[in-house]
Amino acid sequence: MTPVLLDCDPGHDDAIAIMLAAGDSAVDLLAITTVAGNQTLGKTTLNALRVCTLAGIRDVPVGAGCARPLTRPLRVAADVHGASGLDGPRFAEPTVRAVGEHAVDLVHRVLHEHPEPVTVVPTGPLTNIALLLTRYPGDAARIREIVLMGGSTERGNVGPYAEFNIFVDPEAAAIVFGSGVPVTMCGLNVTHQALVTPDVVARLEALGGELGPVCAELMTFFASTYRELWGFEAPPLHDPVAVARVIDPALVECVDAHVAIEVAGEHTRGATVVDLHGYLGHAPNAKVAVGLDVPRFWDRLVAALGRLNGRRGGG
Ligand code: RIB
Ligand code: CA
């Protein structure tokens, strides 16, 4: 099992990423931390607690982190995820509570308590992780790798070349990609292969129990905003791709490349400048995802959610 810390901004796709990490036997989910991104910190934290309550994830500490980017004002994605950040299904009042520690201190503690280096999986803006590496620079040695959802080798989704997680806090992303910690970047170019088609929704629904209908309803809402905003027939489920890379690296094909973060571009703030052909002469500082084994990805995700459902006495 790979020890994992998940830093997220739930968010419909983050919610499924939490359940994938908790349900798959290849992952030992040590902690969940939240950051402002898709919605404000209060809402992303509440949503993480809602998902943990729904999925019966009661033995994983949840810590709230940064309420805004390092230097810039927060931009949320209510147009994609709704006013709550997890619109669609109704959730019961969460019974899972957040710990009192700030996310950065929780991650610091877990990194030092765990006997081996830990894989950190950020699926939101990188504010918490950048702050960790700045506040506790020695922690870099206790991180096995950072496998993040963010960026793109192609076009963006909040700017012509900017993907949301990087765009919200480009300074944080520059710290992470420049930290020397091994980084794997799962960008839009690959997550747009993870489309939640009606067949996938039906497989989720068929899980039954507590999780099946709620996950299907989450995806139905997510599909409605992606259709309205970008004309997608089916929404891309970004964040679970990063978790899948940790679960089985063969699911996500990667190449080594230098990635620079554009923090000052008049038109390109937040762009991940992925030098796939080494034009700029910099040594690679990341593994960049370029391919996804789509059928095996969905099989693994549905199986993990089914396992989680079973633990709850569901479907
Ligand atoms: O651009 C997509 C990413 O931004 C996903 O992680 C989504 O949840 C949002 O955080
Ligand atoms: Ca996210």
Side-chain angles (χ1 to χ4, degrees), residues 8-18 38-39 43-44 47-48 51 81 84-87 218-219 222 239:
C8 56
D9 62 336
H12 292 69
D13 50 336
D14 303 78
I16 305 296
I18 290 171
N38 281 322
Q39 260 298 352
K43 292 181 178 180
T44 59
N47 290 335
V51 170
H81 298 276
S84 74
L86 208 55
D87 280 18
L218 283 171
M219 294 300 97
F222 198 42
D239 296 334

Side-chain angles (χ1 to χ4, degrees), residues 9 13-14 38 81 123-124 149 157 163-165 188 238-239:
D9 62 336
D13 50 336
D14 303 78
N38 281 322
H81 298 276
T123 61
M149 191 281 139
N157 60 1
E163 177 278 326
F164 179 82
N165 287 338
L188 297 178
H238 308 284
D239 296 334

Side-chain angles (χ1 to χ4, degrees), residues 5-9 14 33-35 103 120-126 128-129:
L5 286 160
L6 182 64
D7 184 70
C8 56
D9 62 336
D14 303 78
T33 51
T34 57
V35 67
V120 175
V121 181
T123 61
L126 291 164
N128 287 342
I129 310 307

Side-chain angles (χ1 to χ4, degrees), residues 20 194 237 240-241 244 251 292-301:
L20 173 58
L237 202 63
V241 173
L251 288 173
L292 178 69
D293 184 333
V294 175
R296 285 182 59 230
F297 168 76
W298 289 122
D299 289 347
R300 196 76 190 240
L301 188 147

